[in-house]
Amino acid sequence: MSVKVVDRNESKVQYVTTAVELQKKTIFVLTRMSNKMQGFFKEDLMWIASSITNGCSKAQSIYPSTKERALIREQYLLEAKSSVDALDIQLGLCFDFIKDYPEYAFSTRDDEPIEASKAREKLNKLMKATGDLINQEKLLLDGVIKDNNKYISKYN
């Protein structure tokens, strides 16, 4: 029996799902950039985005049945959260750079530049969607860290 959409609660593993979505969104942002722009940002952005997904996946795979396991899980969660902050900063830098040089930022499939007004429009949509996902992931990780801290204090 399925649950109505309006009656659904947030999943306990939503932070992992959101991390994956954030990594996919980062890939999407990079694939929309011109080859010139990709060269500046691709490696760092992909490394940071994958570290968020990896940290969340590792944390989710550890059940905090002992204090040691809860502390290990907390470490992965904190690393993922700091990576979300780093991604936020790096994407902000990327988007600021694109704002300054919109005509070089995006390209067609044939690597032809897109006019500046269309580039700005695309940028605003990407910034909003990516920013929303980053904020959602921060809130989810804060909640999971808070829950994990209950396990840690339980074992003290």
Side-chain angles (χ1 to χ4, degrees):
M1 182 178 217
S2 63
V3 178
K4 293 180 193 173
V5 173
V6 294
D7 294 334
R8 291 182 189 163
N9 292 327
E10 200 167 77
S11 167
K12 293 286 185 186
V13 295
Q14 185 62 41
Y15 70 104
V16 178
T17 305
T18 304
V20 170
E21 289 302 313
L22 193 51
Q23 186 171 4
K24 287 171 28 180
K25 180 60 77 177
T26 302
I27 293 168
F28 180 80
V29 167
L30 288 168
T31 59
R32 295 303 176 254
M33 286 184 190
S34 67
N35 289 334
K36 291 176 187 177
M37 293 296 279
Q38 278 185 24
F40 293 120
F41 299 104
K42 184 178 183 179
E43 192 174 315
D44 288 341
L45 289 175
M46 285 311 306
W47 184 84
I48 295 168
S50 65
S51 68
I52 296 167
T53 304
N54 293 340
C56 290
S57 299
K58 289 175 184 178
Q60 182 56 31
S61 70
I62 300 171
Y63 184 77
S65 56
T66 66
K67 183 178 181 177
E68 291 76 23
R69 290 174 66 84
L71 289 170
I72 292 168
R73 185 172 193 248
E74 178 184 46
Q75 185 64 39
Y76 287 129
L77 291 168
L78 292 173
E79 287 176 13
K81 188 168 189 281
S82 66
S83 292
V84 172
D85 291 335
L87 184 65
D88 192 11
I89 290 168
Q90 289 298 313
L91 279 172
L93 175 66
C94 177
F95 290 148
D96 286 344
F97 193 81
I98 292 171
K99 278 183 197 174
D100 293 341
Y101 305 100
E103 63 277 9
Y104 301 111
F106 299 104
S107 61
T108 63
R109 291 185 181 175
D110 299 326
D111 209 29
E112 295 294 321
I114 293 176
E115 64 184 68
S117 61
K118 286 185 180 180
R120 281 190 188 92
E121 187 179 316
K122 276 184 131 183
L123 176 64
N124 289 335
K125 288 179 185 177
L126 282 173
M127 285 174 58
K128 175 153 180 25
T130 308
D132 290 348
L133 264 178
I134 287 172
N135 291 335
Q136 181 183 1
E137 184 67 358
K138 284 180 183 180
L139 290 172
L140 290 167
L141 283 170
D142 284 342
V144 175
I145 290 168
K146 185 177 176 182
D147 287 346
N148 193 67
N149 285 339
K150 290 177 187 175
Y151 285 104
I152 293 171
S153 62
K154 173 182 159 183
Y155 297 118
N156 281 336

